[in-house]
Amino acid sequence: MSTSVPRTATVTDRLVEANRAYAAGFTDPGMGARPVLRVAVVACMDARLDLHAALGLELGDCHTIRNAGGVVTDDTIRSLTISQRALGTSSVALIHHTGCGLQTLTEDFRHELELEVGQRPAWAVEAFRDVDQDVRQSMQRVRTSPFLPHTDDVRGFVFDVTTGLLREIAPNP
């Protein structure tokens, strides 16, 4: 005889339940995939960044691309290329932030993972010490990508997680 042990609800179960409540009052906004403001925002995945609220954005205004550090990686370029070439964006805003976890890591993280799991990750950690310089590097990666037709309006910022303010970073000369 098998007895089932009640499963403890997970965080994902909570999210699914919240989605049911959301869907109950949902109405199709009738919009397409093209962002109204023709902008793509690349930002860190940090949970303290509420990008829509911080930037005054509404549903449908922008494409949002997030990853650890908000760094411009090959996959970020892939997403930006699709955003620009297939979905009409022409501006890029890059947003890093104060107190980023990538400032506490090094590329040794990859080595430690290799020792633990027996396989070296194919990706770079993209750790950095100087957030301003990393924003400049990200701007340069976007501006020099041969895949992106729109590189004139690329701006970089550091979001202060204690004040909520953006500080613009001047590109490398």
Side-chain angles (χ1 to χ4, degrees), residues 37-48:
L37 299 179
R38 298 182 49 160
V39 63
V41 177
V42 178
C44 185
M45 65 186 191
D46 192 294
R48 296 172 291 181

Side-chain angles (χ1 to χ4, degrees), residues 18-78:
N19 174 256
R20 286 188 189 107
Y22 171 79
F26 183 80
T27 54
D28 180 357
M31 60 179 65
R34 291 178 175 266
V36 173
L37 299 179
R38 298 182 49 160
V39 63
V41 177
V42 178
C44 185
M45 65 186 191
D46 192 294
R48 296 172 291 181
L49 277 65
D50 183 351
L51 292 173
H52 277 75
L55 301 175
L57 296 168
E58 299 293 330
L59 182 67
D61 281 348
C62 73
H63 282 158
T64 306
I65 303 160
R66 294 182 80 156
N67 65 28
V71 296
V72 176
T73 62
D74 286 346
D75 194 57
T76 306
I77 294 293
R78 171 189 160 272

Side-chain angles (χ1 to χ4, degrees), residues 42-44 67-73 76 94-97 100 102-103 107 125-142 154-158 167 169-172:
V42 178
C44 185
N67 65 28
V71 296
V72 176
T73 62
T76 306
L94 304 168
I95 302 178
H96 287 33
H97 66 92
C100 184
L102 278 188
Q103 292 177 284
E107 291 298 321
V125 175
E126 297 278 353
F128 55 87
R129 295 284 178 250
D130 182 337
V131 68
D132 291 17
Q133 183 53 35
D134 202 63
V135 171
R136 287 185 194 96
Q137 176 177 291
S138 291
M139 284 190 283
Q140 188 65 19
R141 285 179 177 173
V142 171
V154 177
R155 293 172 63 187
F157 303 88
V158 174
R167 178 172 51 84
I169 303 301
N172 285 327

Side-chain angles (χ1 to χ4, degrees), residues 34 80-89 145-150:
R34 291 178 175 266
L80 286 171
T81 301
I82 292 167
S83 178
Q84 287 190 0
R85 291 182 177 269
L87 296 165
T89 62
S145 173
F147 306 110
L148 299 173
H150 306 289

